[in-house]
Amino acid sequence: MTINLDEIVSNIQRKVDFSGSVFVEDKEKVLVDKSFGYANRSDYLGNNSATRFGIASGCKLFTAIAICQLVQEGKISFDSKLIDCLNIDFKHFDNHVTVHHLLTHTSGIPDYFDEDVMDNFEELWIKNPMYHIRKLKDFLPMFQNNPMKSQVGESFHYNNAGYILLGLIVEQVSKLEFSDYVQKHIFNKADMTQSGYFSFDSLPPNTALGYIVNPDGTWKTNIYSLPVKGGSDGGAFVTANDMAKLWNALLNHQLLNETYTKKLLTLHTQVNETSFYGYGIWIKKKTDNNILKYHVMGYDPGVSFHSSYYPDLLIKVVVCSNKSDGAFEIMSAIEQELTIANTL
């Protein structure tokens, strides 16, 4: 399988001009560890296995783990109401919105980036310059006074603002800045030594710049397309190997006990025929109703990211890219090969 996966990844890389890192491992060994393209195009600095990549919404999982840790400690509950958790006024929000609703994208609250209204994430920064967005509270003016989008619990509607609120709950309960909480209670516990929430204007060494490629082939970095520092809805930087460590720590109950790990991985809401959402994590079923994979993904201008754990195979896949697309094609090809080789 190793040779086939190497060849498949390289073939897809050539077709889509993939830039980033690919890491695949089973319970015993690393199956793929390959990197392509440039972390810094201007200086021709190549991506490598230790390169840090932005993962956009892929880190909603970190936020969900943080909330589950606080529930496990008895400091809040999944049924805690938003109005009881935050000392912030949301004059149009339904008082029945709970932590569970926020975790499962079923709260019905307005989002700061509504895909039904805006086509381009960069439109956000016309009225709200990205260089002002450094802390979670900086996101609030973009949605806190808007009306509800739908009724509480009515339906699944992917919502970044809900995860901003979850991060603010983590801050209020723990008395730590969100990024500091995740560093201490998740990254450090999982031995994710190269990962963190870094500011664009002070990136550490070997961090990939995100690239947006224009239709005519010219390109620009994403430093004016995203907040200066990522928050609880997205924006952390990880290495591919560190993300695999996250899966290991989660599944080995180093971050949550068995009860709350199962709670996080429960199918809480159905998205479509085979896709469900747990707490901060997507879950896909097979046709026989068993779990095909637990997965996270993220897309921002200059960022594409996919990572999955296949429970039947005990295989983890991480695909990090510093371009707006490419991760999906690599991930799909790997999954197809796993399916053929192991009849998932």
Side-chain angles (χ1 to χ4, degrees):
M1 188 198 302
T2 308
I3 296 174
N4 283 342
L5 284 179
D6 267 342
E7 290 177 355
I8 286 165
V9 168
S10 295
N11 288 338
I12 298 297
Q13 187 277 329
R14 286 190 290 270
K15 287 180 183 177
V16 302
D17 192 26
F18 173 79
S19 176
S21 290
V22 183
F23 187 84
V24 184
E25 71 173 357
D26 62 17
K27 197 171 184 180
E28 299 175 347
K29 61 183 182 298
V30 173
L31 304 176
V32 179
D33 187 357
K34 298 174 77 71
S35 297
F36 307 90
Y38 293 106
N40 184 319
R41 294 187 179 190
S42 299
D43 295 326
Y44 299 101
L45 300 177
N47 287 316
N48 56 64
S49 60
T51 300
R52 303 170 170 99
F53 295 89
I55 63 170
S57 288
C59 50
K60 282 185 171 68
L61 176 57
F62 308 152
T63 306
I65 291 170
I67 289 290
C68 288
Q69 287 176 338
L70 296 175
V71 174
Q72 182 177 300
E73 293 167 14
K75 295 180 178 178
I76 55 171
S77 81
F78 296 122
D79 295 324
S80 294
K81 290 184 168 56
L82 174 63
I83 56 170
D84 298 325
C85 292
L86 291 178
N87 299 323
I88 300 171
D89 182 39
F90 302 100
K91 60 182 179 180
H92 299 302
F93 287 16
D94 192 307
N95 290 341
H96 295 94
V97 172
T98 66
V99 169
H100 170 83
H101 291 131
L102 296 171
L103 284 166
T104 57
H105 302 286
T106 58
S107 67
I109 68 165
D111 201 356
Y112 71 83
F113 175 61
D114 191 337
E115 295 179 14
D116 294 339
V117 179
M118 283 181 277
D119 294 324
N120 190 341
F121 193 71
E122 293 175 285
E123 292 178 34
L124 280 173
W125 318 123
I126 296 172
K127 293 182 178 179
N128 307 279
M130 81 296 296
Y131 48 81
H132 290 319
I133 311 296
R134 290 182 181 269
K135 296 184 179 296
L136 297 185
K137 64 180 178 61
D138 297 334
F139 287 89
L140 289 173
M142 293 191 282
F143 68 91
Q144 76 176 108
N145 294 320
N146 294 344
M148 293 285 287
K149 185 176 178 68
S150 59
Q151 291 187 0
V152 179
E154 181 180 63
S155 61
F156 175 92
H157 191 276
Y158 194 80
N159 189 300
N160 290 292
Y163 270 71
I164 292 294
L165 298 182
L166 290 168
L168 286 166
I169 292 171
V170 171
E171 290 189 337
Q172 185 159 313
V173 173
S174 71
K175 311 301 183 191
L176 291 172
E177 187 171 327
F178 177 77
S179 56
D180 292 336
Y181 180 94
V182 173
Q183 188 68 51
K184 180 178 180 180
H185 295 281
I186 297 176
F187 293 164
N188 290 353
K189 285 187 176 181
D191 193 33
M192 297 169 68
T193 57
Q194 303 304 307
S195 300
Y197 287 83
F198 310 126
S199 299
F200 274 137
D201 51 5
S202 58
L203 292 174
N206 206 4
T207 301
L209 297 176
Y211 289 98
I212 301 163
V213 181
N214 299 314
D216 64 359
T218 59
W219 52 263
K220 63 179 180 179
T221 70
N222 63 357
I223 59 170
Y224 297 119
S225 306
L226 298 171
V228 176
K229 185 177 180 181
S232 46
D233 64 332
F237 291 84
V238 307
T239 65
N241 185 43
D242 268 5
M243 191 64 203
K245 290 180 179 180
L246 186 281
W247 284 114
N248 288 328
L250 177 63
L251 298 166
N252 292 329
H253 312 309
Q254 294 169 242
L255 303 176
L256 297 165
N257 66 25
E258 185 175 358
T259 297
Y260 284 96
T261 301
K262 286 181 178 178
K263 189 76 173 176
L264 182 136
L265 298 175
T266 295
L267 284 66
H268 290 293
T269 185
Q270 187 161 3
V271 181
N272 57 42
E273 190 174 343
T274 61
S275 183
F276 298 78
Y277 202 80
Y279 284 161
I281 193 165
W282 299 88
I283 306 166
K284 188 169 184 178
K285 282 187 173 183
K286 295 187 285 187
T287 52
D288 64 4
N289 229 28
N290 289 323
I291 302 298
L292 169 66
K293 63 179 177 178
Y294 300 99
H295 64 118
V296 290
M297 55 186 165
Y299 287 91
D300 271 337
V303 176
S304 56
F305 168 79
H306 278 260
S307 184
S308 298
Y309 171 67
Y310 298 87
D312 283 356
L313 302 175
L314 305 178
I315 285 179
K316 296 169 287 291
V317 182
V318 185
V319 185
C320 304
S321 176
N322 60 327
K323 289 173 62 177
S324 301
D325 49 33
F328 174 77
E329 288 81 0
I330 296 284
M331 190 78 199
S332 298
I334 291 172
E335 185 170 301
Q336 184 176 10
E337 177 62 15
L338 294 177
T339 303
I340 294 171
N342 298 276
T343 59
L344 273 175

